[in-house]
Amino acid sequence: MALPRWFPIARNEASALLTAKGPWLLALLLVGWAYRPQYLAWDELGRNMTVAFLQSAGSVLLPLGVLLLSYRAIVEERDTGSLKFLLGLPVTRTDILVGKVIGRSVGLAVPVTVAAIVLGLLGAVRFGLFSPLLFLGVTLVTLLYVLTLVSVATAVSAVTTSTVRATALVFGGFYLLLTVFWQRLASGPVYGALTGSAADPYAAPADGLLFVLLRLTPERAYGVVTNWLLGVGNSGAGYSVVLTKLQPGTNVNAFVVDAAFSQTTAPAFLHEALGLVVLVAWCVVPLALARYRFERGDLA
Amino acid sequence: MTPPAIETDGLTKQYGDSTALSELDLTVERGEVYGFLGPNGAGKSTTINLLLNYIKPTAGTARVLGHDPWNDVVACHQRVGICPDRFDTYDERSARRHLELVIDTKRADDTPRPLLERVGLVDAIDKPAGEFSQGMEQRLALAMSLVGDPDLLVLDEPFTGLDPHGASLVRSVVEAESERGATVFFSSHVLGQVELVCDRVGILHRGRLVAEGSLAELRDRCDLSADATIEAVFMQLTGDSVRTGEVDR
């Protein structure tokens, strides 16, 4: 059976990333950024604290790095004219999108996996052997998050006509609003507009709507799923904040289902596994919309 | 019966209110070397971009080797070799890698070296394309268009940026491909080169095809003597537009 038509495009994308400095620099930064032993995490998670490092690697820095290394995927080729070669090949425009997303994802997944393994080794040497299955699970979810980020960035790259616009959308829109400031945005203005009053992160209402809003973004969904695997609590916030929030007699500004619904049962739609559905939806929907426009538009 | 290499019917492209190409009816038969001429902004690139599925038409139809170029792009491009205008190579990738991408997507039996030998670029086979001069990039693009012995070669301004050696090389490649049985369709404003290789030319002016035929036929039509250059024919047919600085699309 012949390889799919997009395969050579994907292979080129992957090898271009793997032979560049950027992805490996990202891997190095991820290790430095994520290796943060804490007493509370050690008390609660024991040796599995090492696995929780992966979640720190996956938040804030990983999305920034992956977006930086992906948002130009198509728009830059369109600007320079090298897209004309790709469009001239016997491939559909959808093949180009698929090849780009898969190739870039592999080219970024390899350095991210290497960073995870280095973190795992550092942690295992210093704190002892963690659960390998848990490590594998969190690594796989992190790689799904990488795929989602590449997919979103490529989708934007495919429908914008200039690098400047792609930068604004990816970093101003997706990264700042939906990644860095989403907790504040969702619980404040968005929740306030829907219900009449913003939610207080120190005393969150037991309202399913609030928590659904919070976990609709890839970053928060990634947090929900990894916290679930780590067993720290039902929340999209970072594991150490969640652990602190759930300590008796302490309070921090984080939204945690177990704290808000301490008197009642949380609704089933707040189950952590649904975070995977959110991640997959972000992986598929923006790309499908972009494909619709990319297939029909003028590209020269 | 084998369908023509290129056949368009009422092919039209508008950008807002401006018409880049108006109701083009064009037929290029198999085995022809067809030169597509016109001043800047006449619609040459628009036509080629339409035929190659870089852009979509406002109205009209086209068949490339009997295929719909927009809905049947894989079957179409499988048999077409493309040398685009105003392209850029991938700076970090070698000439070899550029060719491998085309060879692999076309599932062709070619290897990079002989293709680069044909365009005189074999010495730079492992050099990153970022270090190439414009002429070298043009040669690389030409080599990429030859992958898989295409039935139709579409060369958009293939003489751009080439010195006389380069131009003569393009001509000999075109002749060799034509001898092999391929159809060659190219746009150019380098008229001297066109004269040397074309069986037939079409002259596009302000989005319309104003004349078509062999050079001798065009000379007759313009009441020019038998030794008139293609330039004289061209100037007569497109005279008033030469100084208008329309944007070439």
Side-chain angles (χ1 to χ4, degrees), chain A residues 171-252:
Chain A
F171 295 98
F174 184 80
Y175 186 68
L176 281 184
L177 297 184
L178 296 185
T179 305
V180 177
F181 293 122
W182 183 245
Q183 176 182 316
R184 253 177 270 181
L185 201 65
S187 62
V190 179
Y191 186 68
L194 292 171
T195 64
S197 62
D200 178 1
Y202 290 97
D207 184 357
L209 173 68
L210 170 66
F211 286 92
V212 167
L213 282 176
L214 280 166
R215 57 189 58 191
L216 282 181
T217 63
E219 173 85 352
R220 300 287 291 196
Y222 170 73
V224 168
V225 177
T226 47
N227 283 334
W228 177 45
L229 295 180
L230 289 163
V232 298
N234 186 345
S235 172
Y239 70 93
S240 85
V241 179
V242 179
L243 287 173
T244 312
K245 178 94 176 180
L246 292 177
Q247 292 298 302
T250 61
N251 198 359
V252 287

Side-chain angles (χ1 to χ4, degrees), chain B residues 11 13 21 46-53 55-57 69-70:
Chain B
L11 192 60
K13 179 65 182 179
L21 189 68
T46 302
T47 306
I48 288 184
N49 288 344
L50 283 165
L51 294 175
L52 299 182
N53 186 36
I55 59 176
K56 309 281 181 177
W70 309 298

Side-chain angles (χ1 to χ4, degrees), chain A residues 131-144:
Chain A
S131 154
L133 205 62
L134 180 63
F135 182 84
L136 182 69
V138 175
T139 304
L140 288 177
V141 177
T142 306
L143 296 181
L144 172 62

Side-chain angles (χ1 to χ4, degrees), chain A residues 51-65:
Chain A
V51 185
F53 292 163
L54 298 188
Q55 189 203 64
S56 308
S59 311
V60 185
L61 188 60
L62 179 83
L64 182 64

Side-chain angles (χ1 to χ4, degrees), chain A residues 3 20 23 36 40-42 46-47 80 84 101 104 109 117 128 134 138 155 214 254 275 293 297 299:
Chain A
L3 288 167
R36 296 183 211 167
L40 181 59
W42 174 250
R47 294 170 171 182
T80 61
K84 287 183 177 176
V101 170
R104 296 220 151 219
I117 291 169
L134 180 63
V138 175
L214 280 166
R293 268 189 65 181
L299 299 174

Side-chain angles (χ1 to χ4, degrees), chain B residues 11-241:
Chain B
L11 192 60
T12 300
K13 179 65 182 179
Q14 285 176 318
Y15 293 96
D17 288 338
S18 77
T19 303
L21 189 68
S22 178
E23 296 180 19
L24 178 71
D25 298 326
L26 181 74
T27 304
V28 177
E29 297 298 342
R30 298 276 179 147
E32 269 192 299
V33 178
Y34 190 102
F36 200 45
L37 315 180
N40 291 335
K44 302 187 299 287
S45 287
T46 302
T47 306
I48 288 184
N49 288 344
L50 283 165
L51 294 175
L52 299 182
N53 186 36
Y54 292 171
I55 59 176
K56 309 281 181 177
T58 311
T61 59
R63 308 295 279 177
V64 174
L65 301 171
H67 300 289
D68 177 337
W70 309 298
N71 296 316
D72 213 359
V73 63
V74 174
C76 195
H77 288 188
Q78 180 64 30
R79 301 304 316 144
V80 178
I82 296 166
C83 181
D85 181 31
R86 273 180 249 175
F87 60 91
D88 193 15
T89 49
Y90 297 98
D91 286 355
E92 295 82 26
R93 299 183 199 167
S94 63
R96 185 197 300 274
R97 290 274 308 280
H98 278 83
L99 283 163
E100 279 169 352
L101 177 64
V102 186
I103 291 166
D104 290 348
T105 43
K106 281 200 164 170
R107 299 168 181 172
D109 296 328
D110 288 304
T111 50
R113 185 171 288 274
L115 289 162
L116 289 170
E117 272 165 5
R118 286 186 65 184
V119 299
L121 205 59
V122 76
D123 293 340
I125 186 164
D126 286 316
K127 215 170 151 185
E131 295 171 19
F132 283 13
S133 67
Q134 197 193 349
M136 289 166 82
E137 286 191 344
Q138 197 70 43
R139 286 164 189 247
L140 174 58
L142 185 64
M144 288 166 80
S145 75
L146 299 176
V147 170
D149 292 336
D151 296 331
L152 169 65
L153 273 169
V154 178
L155 314 175
D156 197 357
E157 300 286 352
F159 299 107
T160 308
L162 292 179
D163 58 17
H165 293 292
S168 130
L169 182 124
V170 172
R171 283 204 315 274
S172 65
V173 167
V174 167
E175 275 157 13
E177 288 297 293
S178 175
E179 214 148 287
R180 180 174 64 77
T183 309
V184 183
F185 180 80
F186 69 90
S187 74
S188 186
H189 56 253
V190 186
L191 299 175
Q193 300 295 338
V194 172
E195 198 165 11
L196 293 170
V197 286
C198 283
D199 300 325
R200 213 149 64 96
V201 296
I203 295 184
L204 202 64
H205 180 40
R206 296 195 165 166
R208 291 172 185 279
L209 193 65
V210 293
E212 192 185 43
S214 68
L215 190 55
E217 285 163 5
L218 293 184
R219 277 191 196 108
D220 281 353
R221 215 185 111 173
C222 297
D223 285 327
L224 291 169
S225 61
D227 60 350
T229 60
I230 190 166
E231 194 168 9
V233 173
F234 181 87
M235 294 302 264
Q236 177 147 352
L237 287 165
T238 65
D240 57 331
S241 76

